[in-house]
Amino acid sequence: MPFTFANVDSRASLVSNSDFYDLNRITQDAISADPMEALADIDALQQVSASLADYQADGSISDAKLGAPAPRPRNSFGVGLNYKDHAEESNMELPESPVVFSKFPSCIAGPFDDVELRATRGDYEAELVVVIGRITRDVSKDDAWSHVAGLTAGQDISDRKLQLGARPPQFGLGKSRDTYGPTGPLLVSADSFANPDDLHLTCEINGDPRQDAKTSDLIFDVPYLVSYLSEVMTLVPGDLIFTGTPSGVGMPDRRFLVPGDVITTTIDGIGAMINICR
Ligand code: ZN
């Protein structure tokens, strides 16, 4: 059963027809108000979603204060060079196995939060983000989607100086400054999409189109990444996987972010995040 999940003012909610329903209220405490705890029971989310019409909505999503759908992941992974065209623009060879780094969970921010740049080489990377929904260990690619709570959009904001200034380059710190991980606006279950492996992803800076891709162009797709990571370590509900960015980032032409820049990140069926650089 498809569902759309949101973090409304730090409370777990389901969304239908642009209205939101507070999960703790409509289930009379059966589901926690905490988005992280609510995300750990995707069977319950599916059930409640099927009967949303029986309840009165709490308000319109357009007026709601939205936070990151999974605001406090235990682990948050990034995947580098996962689109052929981005590997080429970065002058890197195509990876034979996933290039995985830690996007430290403290960088996770909401879909409309400001990005505090604190860097002269801040860059944008629009990405599809996977949110894990079950305890996942040694899952096969065929079973991987059933362990995913849903999909959301993300920005893997990157301080290229921190990332590339060290030798050899290090990803973790350069991608983990405070506020460098906006996610949202909604978390949409995989079965809501005709094909969850083929989503349209775009990024605009001040309205100027910079990135435009289909997730079907991922070198390592979502089932591969979930299966691969689950063989290394146990994934838990709320864990995030930033799946990589397509071509069009600022670095090749040195079009780095400056204060006042407006980053608009859109995935069809999920919605648009708007983050302003400070
Ligand atoms: Zn990235």
Side-chain angles (χ1 to χ4, degrees):
M1 179 73 204
F3 66 88
T4 299
F5 178 93
N7 169 353
V8 177
D9 212 2
S10 301
R11 291 179 66 89
S13 304
L14 286 178
V15 176
S16 176
N17 297 324
S18 72
D19 286 329
F20 71 89
Y21 300 75
D22 186 284
L23 270 165
N24 183 253
R25 177 184 70 81
I26 66 175
T27 64
Q28 300 176 324
D29 273 341
I31 296 181
S32 169
D34 180 344
M36 297 304 295
E37 289 181 25
L39 275 175
D41 193 352
I42 52 178
D43 296 325
L45 297 182
Q46 289 171 350
Q47 276 171 17
V48 176
S49 180
S51 59
L52 269 190
D54 299 343
Y55 302 100
Q56 203 163 10
D58 287 85
S60 168
I61 204 75
S62 56
D63 304 324
K65 183 178 182 298
L66 294 178
R72 301 183 313 278
R74 186 176 82 169
N75 276 322
S76 169
F77 305 92
V79 181
L81 307 172
N82 203 15
Y83 288 85
K84 186 167 175 281
D85 55 358
H86 176 58
E88 286 167 359
E89 76 175 352
S90 306
N91 293 317
M92 303 290 272
E93 286 177 21
L94 294 187
E96 289 177 7
S97 61
V99 179
V100 178
F101 55 89
S102 182
K103 198 161 168 70
F104 291 97
S106 50
C107 78
I108 300 304
F112 304 105
D113 288 353
D114 290 347
V115 171
E116 283 180 54
L117 282 180
R118 296 172 62 96
T120 53
R121 293 189 205 165
D123 203 353
Y124 51 89
E125 294 192 351
E127 307 201 359
L128 174 73
V129 176
V130 176
V131 184
I132 297 295
R134 299 184 196 279
I135 292 174
T136 303
R137 176 87 175 127
D138 288 330
V139 72
S140 69
K141 290 198 282 285
D142 285 347
D143 282 342
W145 273 119
S146 69
H147 291 249
V148 171
L151 300 167
T152 192
Q155 266 293 339
D156 178 18
I157 305 284
S158 304
D159 178 343
R160 301 299 186 196
K161 193 171 178 207
L162 258 182
Q163 180 188 346
L164 303 170
R167 286 283 177 271
Q170 56 178 339
F171 284 74
L173 290 184
K175 286 155 175 290
S176 298
R177 283 192 183 275
D178 289 348
T179 73
Y180 271 31
T183 56
L186 304 174
L187 181 154
V188 180
S189 66
D191 59 352
S192 305
F193 299 98
N195 179 1
D197 288 302
D198 186 26
L199 304 183
H200 183 214
L201 166 73
T202 63
C203 178
E204 296 180 353
I205 304 297
N206 305 323
D208 178 29
R210 298 286 181 88
Q211 297 183 285
D212 188 328
K214 304 276 266 181
T215 60
S216 48
D217 286 333
L218 283 166
I219 296 170
F220 301 104
D221 63 11
V222 171
Y224 188 101
L225 293 171
V226 172
S227 174
Y228 180 82
L229 290 170
S230 80
E231 187 269 323
V232 180
M233 65 188 87
T234 303
L235 306 176
V236 300
D239 279 358
L240 303 180
I241 306 170
F242 287 71
T243 56
T245 202
S247 65
V249 301
M251 185 166 60
D253 298 327
R254 304 187 69 79
R255 293 188 290 183
F256 295 114
L257 294 167
V258 295
D261 276 353
V262 179
I263 308 167
T264 305
T265 314
T266 306
I267 297 180
D268 290 355
I270 293 173
M273 299 197 300
I274 298 173
N275 304 100
I276 300 175
C277 298
R278 303 292 182 198

